[in-house]
Amino acid sequence: MGQANEIEALDLAALLCSRVCHDVISPVGAITNGLEVLEDEDDAEMQRYAMELIQKSATQASSKLQFARLAFGAAGSAGASLDLNDARDVAMGFVAHEKAEMVWDGPAAVMPKDLVKLLLNMILIAVAAIPRGGNISVDVAGDPERPTFTLISKGVNARVPTETERFLNGRAEEDVLDARAIQPYFTGLVARECSMDISANMDGEDFHLRAQPAG
């Protein structure tokens, strides 16, 4: 499997942008639909429904964008650190709109931003591992500068996502990256940049995702 130089920077940026757009297009579209109902309907019940749709979708879009900013964006200057509690709150807000519940066990600490980025991308994979919903546990242990992240997803038909299995540790020459596959590939890139070993596997019926200091 190859490493970070397999994809040009512009291609990586374009695919990540496509991924973010894919995540927010649904709630933004729902807001548009709700506004159209408000314009066209005089029925009070329909207007109430439209307002509820707009409010729910706006909250969802905001949560997804806040999450994407930390998971994919710069989130501060080079070498910056982030409050792990802030990352937890953003992750909780994101998962609240998915078909999953999350339990977070981690210290109140400041952590290098790239490690936080890695953890949030791991959460995306953990959500994808339980497409029918379920429970996710997040455990952050060890030195904040060299932590170990352990995520476990429990749910009906939990599985290692196909894209994660193919792209988490790089890609073969014949593999084509798309907006769906770029996220686990990016997760692997971040892990290697942070000198972390990352693995995904099934333990019985549960999905396990783990990142720990290399070596």
Side-chain angles (χ1 to χ4, degrees):
M1 303 295 270
Q3 299 297 321
N5 62 356
E6 290 180 342
I7 181 171
E8 296 292 335
L10 286 176
D11 291 335
L12 177 63
L15 287 169
L16 286 176
C17 286
S18 294
R19 166 64 195 241
V20 173
C21 290
H22 175 272
D23 285 350
V24 300
I25 194 65
S26 179
V28 170
I31 293 170
T32 301
N33 292 338
L35 291 172
E36 290 176 351
V37 171
L38 286 180
E39 288 181 356
D40 298 337
E41 288 285 345
D42 295 326
D43 182 74
E45 184 64 20
M46 287 298 296
Q47 289 184 342
R48 182 186 65 80
Y49 168 77
M51 282 302 302
E52 290 178 352
L53 176 64
I54 292 169
Q55 291 169 353
K56 177 182 178 180
S57 300
T59 300
Q60 184 179 17
S62 177
S63 296
K64 286 179 177 291
L65 286 172
Q66 289 182 58
F67 187 93
R69 176 177 175 270
L70 291 186
F72 304 128
S77 59
S81 296
L82 297 173
D83 190 316
L84 199 56
N85 284 338
D86 290 342
R88 177 201 61 199
D89 292 344
V90 168
M92 287 291 190
F94 173 84
V95 173
H97 298 284
E98 303 298 317
K99 295 181 292 185
E101 295 183 359
M102 186 171 69
V103 175
W104 180 293
D105 184 10
V110 173
M111 185 172 287
K113 69 172 186 178
D114 284 345
L115 286 171
V116 173
K117 189 186 302 290
L118 172 60
L119 177 57
L120 294 182
N121 274 275
M122 291 174 67
I123 289 173
L124 286 176
I125 293 175
V127 169
I130 43 173
R132 296 180 62 181
N135 299 285
I136 300 169
S137 65
V138 177
D139 181 76
V140 181
D143 186 336
E145 297 289 330
R146 290 178 57 80
T148 295
F149 302 139
T150 305
L151 281 68
I152 301 175
S153 298
K154 299 175 180 285
V156 176
N157 294 333
R159 74 257 187 310
V160 180
T162 301
E163 293 79 13
T164 297
E165 188 171 29
R166 290 179 61 193
F167 294 106
L168 185 63
N169 291 303
R171 65 167 181 155
E173 289 186 8
E174 66 273 14
D175 288 333
V176 177
L177 284 167
D178 57 20
R180 186 177 179 87
I182 194 61
Q183 191 275 320
Y185 179 79
F186 178 70
T187 305
L189 291 182
V190 177
R192 292 189 288 274
E193 183 68 21
C194 294
S195 299
M196 298 278 277
D197 289 332
I198 188 167
S199 61
N201 63 276
M202 295 298 296
D203 184 355
E205 297 183 348
D206 301 334
F207 171 75
H208 285 233
L209 183 62
R210 182 179 177 88
Q212 61 188 13

